[in-house]
């Protein structure tokens, strides 16, 4: 199908251009016409500032059920984890599909066109495989299709409760027992037009050192993305040193996990040597600022990592907030608090983390830009809301990052078709109701 969109203002990676016509065919951009002062005949008009679609590089869809219930009171990441496990215990393929469909629809409303789903709830409670061993992963792939966004299913190897410890009762449904069995199961998963299959190592706590290479090799053979939770907690670092005499980053390097297709998620508590290993190997860094502050994890060394060569991406992780513009803003503002200086990234650099570099981390290198040949995935932010009114259109990147929120997303286009039009989802008519019903089903 051929369709032309007229963008009132378009962010083209380095600057904002007024009056841009974008031709699309079969889900891709075929031409970009600048100086299109008026809409071509028959074009769909997108008023506001249009950006490439946003990439949510780290998601646990079922965590959306925790929003508003775990943000108060005292405790740490480890006490929060017990509440999260209780929610995971109640998931079935059907309830997970309903919850993920609603959560992904919320992402589309926030301008997100692709999600990296870090998926580890594989089996029934107790660890018994479903008749289809990938029933839970297939539920997530179907949920993304139903919500109209792309997904990279980062099928996660999760084998132990800690260094040398078997899975606990909650974790039995996460575990395939061995990395070889994990590889056999997820090798059955098939890619689709809207879905890519990647791999993940849950953490160095959850995958024994002698099995790390199996996961890395699986991803290498398929040239697939490989993600890993890395040094999110100081306790993980201390335990790794006690057992292996090195940091988690050093352990991953020893077993061939680091590299340009690998992304470390959080990368919070790193040594100078860790930062050099990550940056020097081209390993990416996915920062999740709203979750990292919600769980009191800490502020990671994102500036130092990027300076060493680690590409940055962003994720909403536990979905305490689903707003990639807020994640981009928070990365800069967190660094300001830590360093007590301003201006660590330009707004354009922050948008790149939320768009092109995020898509690349998920294996969608052909997304994240408004140029011929790219996937026709883009989102439009209103410039006349109470948050954005008065902004200068030519400073669009600054407006997007430092003024706008997910509430200002007016349109989301994926593969050349409207998924969100005028702030309403075209495939999930009532997203709040879908979320409420899905969460209530788990609580029941």
């Amino acid at each position: 199908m051929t369709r032309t969109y007229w963008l009132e203002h378009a962010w083209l990676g380095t600057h904002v251009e007024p009056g841009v016509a974008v031709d699309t065919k079969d889900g891709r951009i075929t031409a970009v016409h600048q100086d299109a002062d008026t809409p071509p005949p028959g074009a769909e008009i997108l008023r506001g500032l249009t950006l490439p679609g946003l990439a949510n590089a780290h998601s646990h869809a079922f965590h959306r059920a925790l929003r508003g219930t775990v943000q108060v009171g005292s405790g740490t990441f480890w006490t929060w984890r017990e509440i999260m496990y209780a929610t995971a215990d109640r998931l079935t393929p059907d309830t997970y599909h309903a919850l993920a469909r609603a959560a992904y629809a919320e992402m589309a409303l926030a301008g997100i066109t692709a999600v990296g789903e870090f998926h580890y709830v594989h089996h029934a409670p107790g660890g018994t495989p479903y008749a289809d061993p990938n029933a839970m992963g297939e539920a997530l792939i179907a949920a993304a299709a139903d919500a109209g966004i792309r997904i990279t299913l980062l099928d996660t190897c999760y084998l132990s409760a800690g260094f040398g410890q078997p899975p606990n009762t909650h974790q039995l449904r996460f575990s395939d027992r061995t990395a070889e069995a994990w590889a056999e199961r997820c090798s059955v998963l098939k890619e689709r037009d809207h879905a890519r299959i990647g791999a993940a190592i849950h953490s160095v706590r959850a995958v024994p050192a002698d099995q790390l290479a199996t996961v890395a090799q699986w991803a290498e053979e398929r040239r697939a993305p490989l993600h890993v939770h890395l040094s999110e907690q100081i306790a993980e670092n201390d335990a790794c040193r006690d057992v292996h005499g090195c940091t988690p980053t050093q352990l991953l390097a020893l077993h061939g996990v680091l590299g340009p297709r690998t992304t470390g998620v959080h990368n919070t508590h790193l040594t100078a040597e860790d930062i050099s290993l990550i940056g020097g190997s081209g390993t990416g860094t996915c920062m999740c600022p709203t979750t990292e502050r919600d769980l009191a994890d800490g502020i990671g060394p994102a500036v130092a990592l990027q300076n060493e060569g680690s590409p940055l991406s962003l994720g909403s992780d536990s979905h305490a907030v689903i707003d990639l513009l807020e994640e981009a803003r928070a990365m800069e503002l967190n660094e300001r608090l830590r360093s007590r200086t301003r201006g660590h990234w330009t707004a354009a650099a922050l948008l790149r983390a939320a768009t092109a570099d995020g898509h690349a981390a998920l294996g969608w290198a052909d997304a994240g830009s408004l140029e011929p040949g790219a996937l026709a995935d883009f989102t439009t932010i209103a410039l006349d809301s109470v948050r954005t009114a008065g902004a200068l259109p030519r400073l669009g990147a600054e407006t997007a990052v430092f003024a706008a929120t997910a509430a200002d997303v007016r349109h989301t286009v994926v593969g050349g078709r409207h998924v969100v039009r005028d702030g309403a989802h075209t495939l999930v008519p009532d997203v709040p109701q879908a979320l409420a019903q899905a969460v209530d089903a788990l609580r029941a």
Side-chain angles (χ1 to χ4, degrees), residues 181-264:
W182 164 85
E184 183 178 355
R185 177 185 53 74
C186 61
S187 292
V188 178
L189 289 162
K190 302 299 183 185
E191 296 194 339
R192 276 142 260 194
D193 287 345
H194 80 290
R196 303 259 164 96
I197 307 300
I201 292 166
H202 180 273
S203 58
V204 295
R205 289 181 290 107
V207 178
D210 62 358
Q211 299 189 60
L212 292 170
T214 299
V215 185
Q217 183 177 357
W218 187 95
E220 179 65 25
E221 289 173 352
R222 290 158 180 77
R223 304 187 67 80
L226 173 61
H227 288 216
V228 54
H229 289 135
L230 181 55
S231 288
E232 183 178 5
Q233 296 293 320
I234 293 173
E236 175 186 299
N237 290 358
D238 293 343
C240 189
R241 286 192 182 95
D242 290 343
V243 174
H244 296 291
C246 64
T247 67
T249 299
Q250 292 162 356
L251 187 66
L252 294 176
L254 285 170
H255 292 276
V257 176
L258 302 185
R261 280 192 298 279
T262 300
T263 297

Side-chain angles (χ1 to χ4, degrees), residues 68-77 79-80 83 293-296:
T69 66
V70 294
Q71 274 72 39
V72 296
S74 59
T76 65
F77 167 86
T79 52
W80 166 88
I83 303 171
R293 72 192 185 199
D294 182 47
L295 299 181

Side-chain angles (χ1 to χ4, degrees), residues 394-414:
R394 63 182 174 80
L395 299 179
E398 287 76 5
T399 298
V401 173
F402 293 109
T405 72
D408 298 308
V409 171
R410 180 173 283 164
H411 307 289
T412 302
V413 173
V414 181

Side-chain angles (χ1 to χ4, degrees), residues 294-312:
D294 182 47
L295 299 181
D297 287 343
I299 300 171
V303 172
L305 284 160
Q306 188 170 56
N307 288 343
E308 286 291 323
S310 179
L312 299 180

Side-chain angles (χ1 to χ4, degrees), residues 267-281:
N267 292 0
T268 307
H269 304 287
L270 303 177
T271 67
E273 182 180 349
D274 292 340
I275 294 170
S276 294
L277 283 170
I278 292 168
S281 63

